[in-house]
Amino acid sequence: YSNNQSLFKSNPELDDIIEQIRNRIENSKNLRIEGVSGIGKTRLVCEALSPGEKDENGDYDIIRKSISDSVIYFDLGTDNGQVVLDYVRSLGTTFPAILVLDNCEPFYHQQFINETQRNGGLIKILSIDYEKWSNSDFVDCDVIELKSVYYNSVVQDILKEEYSNKLSDSDISSLVNFSEGNPKMAINFVQAALRELNLGQSFNDELVKKLIFGRSSYSEEDFKVLIFFSAFKYFEYPADEYINFNP
């Protein structure tokens, strides 16, 4: 997965979810993975669908390799949902595949499920998104929710590996708790502290907006108010641009 250069880190809870994903895919189940932004949904799916390591004879596990070779990945976060849907319609009856749809809102998820069923089900859907819907809202699909608590030990391992010479065990423990198991948030916290920035200067605005507003209409005034009164000020007062505004 090109957005992550470090080795994948796991624990028994995540290993179990990876096996659930593989088992469902092997049994031709449609699947949806949900969880907050930055928690590591896409990275986990990439690991679950990877061909794995070669054995002593230089061969891959034949089932895992066949699944990996069948994967087609699309990021729907660039408003290309209809284009991808048209693509599926063109291949649905002739090309068996596992279609991984990242940033796939519930509306498009069900649209893709309906289309693959109409075309005989050769394509199976694995969607990934931060927007949570009830399992009962989806037809012919299992839902797995990634919870922050599953990632506490992962965040701890990442911080120890990357910042052990700069952070004490107490610092790392505090960051794990404050980030609530979100690896991307924890790394942002660390980078802000090491660069002596307030957190508003360190965070990627798009990530923060997605966490706050989801797919609701973005409001600049609401965003500034939330930043002003959020946990960011416990590290340092907000930057001037967030203070000098008239709500």
Side-chain angles (χ1 to χ4, degrees):
Y1 181 47
S2 60
N3 288 348
N4 291 277
Q5 301 304 318
S6 59
L7 293 175
F8 177 78
K9 292 177 175 56
S10 192
N11 57 34
E13 291 85 359
L14 296 183
D15 288 342
D16 180 63
I17 292 173
I18 288 172
E19 284 304 309
Q20 290 182 48
I21 293 172
R22 289 173 180 162
N23 288 337
R24 284 168 168 80
I25 294 297
E26 287 176 19
N27 288 286
S28 298
K29 298 284 188 178
N30 294 309
L31 185 61
R32 181 170 175 83
I33 307 297
E34 299 176 340
V36 298
S37 296
I39 200 172
K41 301 182 296 298
T42 305
R43 187 70 187 275
L44 184 78
V45 169
C46 287
E47 182 66 19
L49 300 182
S50 74
E53 301 293 331
K54 293 181 179 180
D55 61 22
E56 62 272 13
N57 298 318
D59 297 321
Y60 288 107
D61 178 275
I62 188 170
I63 296 177
R64 287 188 59 180
K65 186 65 167 62
S66 65
I67 288 174
S68 180
D69 289 344
S70 300
V71 170
I72 303 174
Y73 173 91
F74 288 101
D75 184 352
L76 302 189
T78 55
D79 297 324
N80 61 344
Q82 187 59 49
V83 174
V84 179
L85 190 58
D86 291 340
Y87 172 80
V88 171
R89 286 170 177 157
S90 70
L91 295 180
T93 59
T94 60
F95 189 80
I98 300 163
L99 195 65
V100 177
L101 304 172
D102 210 346
N103 295 302
C104 180
E105 60 183 283
F107 169 78
Y108 271 118
H109 172 93
Q110 196 60 58
Q111 289 292 306
F112 279 104
I113 295 289
N114 294 343
E115 190 61 39
T116 58
Q117 289 177 331
R118 186 179 301 115
N119 287 331
L122 288 179
I123 292 180
K124 293 302 176 184
I125 302 299
L126 194 164
S127 71
I128 306 168
D129 198 45
Y130 59 86
E131 189 171 347
K132 181 180 178 181
W133 272 27
S134 167
N135 291 24
S136 61
D137 292 323
F138 293 125
V139 177
D140 190 32
C141 178
D142 293 338
V143 179
I144 295 177
E145 180 185 358
L146 298 186
K147 298 180 180 180
S148 297
V149 67
Y150 300 160
Y151 282 85
N152 284 337
S153 69
V154 170
V155 172
Q156 185 176 50
D157 289 344
I158 291 172
L159 295 181
K160 283 185 176 180
E161 181 176 289
E162 299 291 333
Y163 302 103
S164 60
N165 61 332
K166 297 177 181 179
L167 298 173
S168 67
D169 288 344
S170 177
D171 291 334
I172 290 174
S173 178
S174 296
L175 285 163
V176 170
N177 291 331
F178 193 78
S179 66
E180 296 184 341
N182 190 307
K184 189 173 289 186
M185 298 290 278
I187 290 172
N188 276 318
F189 292 152
V190 174
Q191 291 174 343
L194 295 180
R195 294 165 59 195
E196 297 184 350
L197 301 173
N198 69 51
L199 295 184
Q201 293 172 305
S202 178
F203 273 76
N204 178 298
D205 272 0
E206 291 306 312
L207 171 63
V208 176
K209 290 172 185 175
K210 187 182 289 187
L211 286 166
I212 294 173
F213 295 100
R215 291 192 172 89
S216 300
S217 298
Y218 168 69
S219 166
E220 182 69 22
E221 289 185 357
D222 289 347
F223 185 47
K224 289 180 178 179
V225 169
L226 287 167
I227 289 178
F228 187 82
F229 290 106
S230 72
F232 298 157
K233 69 175 296 184
Y234 288 99
F235 283 77
E236 188 175 330
Y237 287 108
D240 289 342
E241 62 266 26
Y242 293 123
I243 296 177
N244 299 321
F245 72 97
N246 295 311

